[in-house]
Amino acid sequence: MHCRTAKEISMNISHSLATGSPAPRDNSPQFDVSAIRSQFPILERRIHGYPLAYLDNAATSQKPGAVIDAIQRFYLQHNANVHRGVYQLSEEATRDYEASRDKVRQFINARERAEIIFVRGTTEAINLVAHSFAKPFLSPGDEILISTLEHHSNIVPWQIICQQTGARLRVIPISDAGEIDAAAFDALLSPTCRLLSLTHVSNTLGTINPIQQMIRQAHQHGIPVLIDGAQAVPHLKVDVQALDADFYAFSGHKVYGPTGIGVLYGKRERLETMQPYQGGGDMISEVTFEHTEYNELPYRFEAGTPNIAGAIGLGCALDYIQAIGLAQIAHHEQALLAYATRALSTIEGLRLIGTASDKAGILSFVMDAAHAHDISTVLDQAGVAIRAGHHCTMPLMARLGVAATARASLALYNNRADIDALVAGLHEVKRMFK
Ligand code: 7TS
C-alpha cells in the first residue's frame, strides 16, 4: 500500500534541509521536530486545558496520520480476507499484507520473508517461542536464562514452561546502575543452560544491553537466543543478521504502528524445527480427519485470519520512521535524554533510578515528597502523561528496593517543551506535598 504521508513528510523535511530553514533550539540539524509533531494529530489535544506532553511512549507510542490513513484506506477500499479469495479485493488485501511482511524483513534485515511471522505483539511472540521451540527440548535439570531487567512478558511464559518441563529459571544479576553483571552472565552459561531470553532495552530503566556480545557468548556455548526488542526497535537500528539472534520479537504499537500486531523474527533453521503454536485456517496445506500437513513458513505460525489492517499499519509506520531515519531519531532522543537527565537532576529530593552508561530515552525516578501515583496524578492535571507503578517488572523493583517509580519515556516527537512541562509539574508536586 502506498504510504503517501510518510513520503510527504520526508520530502518536507528534505525541503527544510535544502532551504536551510533555521532549526528550532531543540533540534539536531537534520531533524525538524515541529514538522514531525504536526504529523501526529493527537499532539494537538489539550488535557485539562494544557497542551498534551505525552511521555509514556514505552507503554505505547502515538500514531502519525500516515498510519491512521493507511488503516482507514484499507477498510474503505481494500477490505477482504487474505490468501483465499480469487477476486480483486482479496488479491489487493493479500498484496498489501504481504508487502508489509517485506517491509518488516527489510527493516530488521532478515535474510528472507519466510522468517517474519506476524503475531499480536511481543508477548505472543515470546509465548510462541516458549511453547513451540523451547518446551519440546526441555527436561528436568535444564536451565532457561533471563535477566533481572525483564518485563513480565519475558518471565511468566518461561515460568509456565518450567512448570511443565521441570526446567529451572536462572536470572542474570544487575548492578545498582541497572547494567548486566558480565562476570555473573559468563558463569551462568553452563552446559545445562539451554536458552537465553533477554531484553534488548529495559522498559523501566532504559538500559541498552550489549546484546551482540552476549549473543556471541551464548552461541559459543551452543545456546540459542531470543531477544525481546519491544523497547529497542523504535529507537535503535536493529539488524538481526549482524546480531545473529535466533529469535527477535517486537510490538507494532510501540513503534508508531497499531495495537494488536507484532513480529516474531526467527532464523529459518530454527523455525523449521518447530511445531505450530496454534492450529486453524491458513496454517495448513492439507487436512483430513486423520492427518494434517502444515503450510510452509511463515504461514505455519499464522493460524486464523490475521490482523490484516494492523500489519498494513505497521508496514506504514516502518516506512514512516525510515523516511525520517533511525540515526536521526536516536540522535534527537539522546539529546533530549541528556537535557531531561540534567533537568531532573536539579530537583532536590528526586532520585533517578537506572543510570546505565548506555541508555535509551527512559527516565525512572522516585521523589521523597510523593508516591509515584501521586506524581502522575498531579502531572496529569498539567497535561503531562507519564507512567507510575512497577512497569510490569516487579522482580526488578524488588532488586532496586522500590515499590514503584514514576517513568517518563521519550519518542521522536517529544521536545524540550515536554520536558519543561514535566519539570514544572514536578515542582508543583513538591509544593503540594511539602
Ligand atoms: N517486553 C518489553 C521490554 C516491554 O516493554 C513490553 C511492554 C512488553 C515486552 C510487552 O509488550 P506487548 O506489546 O506484548 O504488551 N511494556 C510496557 C511498558 O513498559 N508499559 O506498558 C507496557
Side-chain angles (χ1 to χ4, degrees):
M1 177 168 296
H2 181 46
C3 200
R4 262 167 301 182
T5 325
K7 295 224 166 69
E8 277 163 19
I9 190 177
S10 110
M11 280 162 64
N12 288 343
I13 291 169
S14 311
H15 175 75
S16 79
L17 287 173
T19 55
S21 44
R25 190 170 64 111
D26 53 356
N27 289 338
S28 76
Q30 306 196 336
F31 192 90
D32 183 350
V33 74
S34 38
I36 285 166
R37 289 179 74 80
S38 71
Q39 294 286 319
F40 287 79
I42 208 169
L43 297 181
E44 285 161 26
R45 272 210 61 184
R46 297 181 80 82
I47 305 288
H48 303 303
Y50 291 86
L52 168 63
Y54 186 75
L55 293 168
D56 194 17
N57 296 288
T60 198
S61 60
Q62 299 301 345
K63 320 305 171 199
V67 169
I68 299 164
D69 288 351
I71 295 165
Q72 198 187 22
R73 211 160 41 242
F74 171 73
Y75 284 122
L76 286 175
Q77 294 178 22
H78 306 287
N79 178 51
N81 214 324
V82 289
H83 303 147
R84 45 202 101 187
V86 186
Y87 57 89
Q88 174 146 354
L89 282 187
S90 178
E91 283 163 9
E92 288 171 5
T94 304
R95 176 198 65 201
D96 293 344
Y97 178 72
E98 292 301 332
S100 282
R101 195 187 310 277
D102 292 326
K103 290 175 187 186
V104 173
R105 186 212 64 73
Q106 178 266 331
F107 184 73
I108 59 172
N109 193 32
R111 199 172 290 116
E112 45 173 322
R113 64 196 317 283
E115 297 178 319
I116 305 299
I117 299 161
F118 283 123
V119 290
R120 274 195 301 130
T122 307
T123 302
E124 187 174 59
I126 296 171
N127 277 278
L128 194 164
V129 175
H131 285 268
S132 286
F133 177 69
K135 187 178 168 184
F137 66 67
L138 289 172
S139 47
D142 286 343
E143 292 173 357
I144 295 165
L145 187 56
I146 60 171
S147 85
T148 309
L149 294 167
E150 303 309 320
H151 187 278
H152 295 164
S153 290
N154 198 26
I155 301 173
V156 183
W158 302 116
Q159 288 174 332
I160 293 170
I161 292 299
C162 285
Q163 278 165 9
Q164 293 174 353
T165 62
R168 189 156 81 104
L169 197 61
R170 303 297 304 271
V171 183
I172 312 163
I174 55 165
S175 68
D176 291 342
E179 292 174 326
I180 293 279
D181 180 333
F185 169 60
D186 198 38
L188 282 161
L189 294 172
S190 69
T192 45
C193 179
R194 303 296 308 280
L195 182 92
L196 169 64
S197 191
L198 182 71
T199 195
H200 193 164
V201 172
S202 159
N203 68 312
T204 298
L205 305 182
T207 309
I208 302 174
N209 285 325
I211 61 162
Q212 186 149 14
Q213 165 67 19
M214 293 175 77
I215 292 168
R216 195 178 313 126
Q217 278 176 263
H219 283 172
Q220 279 162 6
H221 291 77
I223 299 165
V225 184
L226 163 61
I227 299 295
D228 170 352
Q231 298 293 345
V233 161
H235 311 291
L236 310 170
K237 175 76 193 132
V238 170
D239 179 332
V240 290
Q241 290 189 69
L243 289 171
D244 200 25
D246 297 275
F247 299 97
Y248 195 100
F250 68 95
S251 300
H253 69 99
K254 295 186 202 286
V255 64
Y256 312 106
T259 53
I261 187 77
V263 171
L264 174 65
Y265 157 81
K267 282 183 185 169
R268 175 183 273 281
E269 59 265 34
R270 296 295 186 195
L271 295 174
E272 275 177 346
T273 66
M274 291 160 56
Q275 291 293 304
Y277 178 45
Q278 294 177 330
D282 231 23
M283 53 73 73
I284 56 89
S285 62
E286 190 167 340
V287 180
T288 65
F289 282 121
E290 289 73 38
H291 180 70
T292 292
E293 289 294 328
Y294 303 132
N295 204 342
E296 61 189 18
L297 294 174
Y299 311 108
R300 193 187 305 169
F301 296 103
E302 292 181 5
T305 300
N307 183 353
I308 306 165
I312 290 168
L314 172 59
C316 187
L318 300 183
D319 279 348
Y320 178 83
I321 61 171
Q322 289 191 113
I324 296 166
L326 259 303
Q328 276 80 1
I329 293 170
H331 186 275
H332 170 74
E333 291 177 352
Q334 284 296 320
L336 204 55
L337 173 66
Y339 178 77
T341 305
R342 273 197 306 276
L344 293 192
S345 306
T346 64
I347 299 174
E348 216 177 297
L350 182 151
R351 182 162 64 93
L352 280 166
I353 312 271
T355 51
S357 59
D358 202 7
K359 261 187 78 164
I362 290 177
L363 300 112
S364 256
F365 56 92
V366 292
M367 288 175 84
D368 296 340
H371 186 275
H373 286 109
D374 294 328
I375 297 172
S376 177
T377 305
V378 173
L379 290 175
D380 178 55
Q381 292 305 307
V384 180
I386 63 157
R387 185 164 171 194
H390 53 66
H391 317 297
C392 300
T393 55
M394 289 173 99
L396 174 60
M397 294 284 128
R399 160 63 181 84
L400 297 168
V402 291
T405 71
R407 181 190 69 180
S409 50
L410 309 178
L412 76 146
Y413 41 67
N414 288 123
N415 59 11
R416 287 191 178 193
D418 293 333
I419 304 302
D420 295 345
L422 168 68
V423 170
L426 294 175
H427 283 296
E428 178 63 11
V429 169
K430 282 185 69 174
R431 198 190 58 76
M432 286 176 73
F433 289 91
K434 76 168 182 271

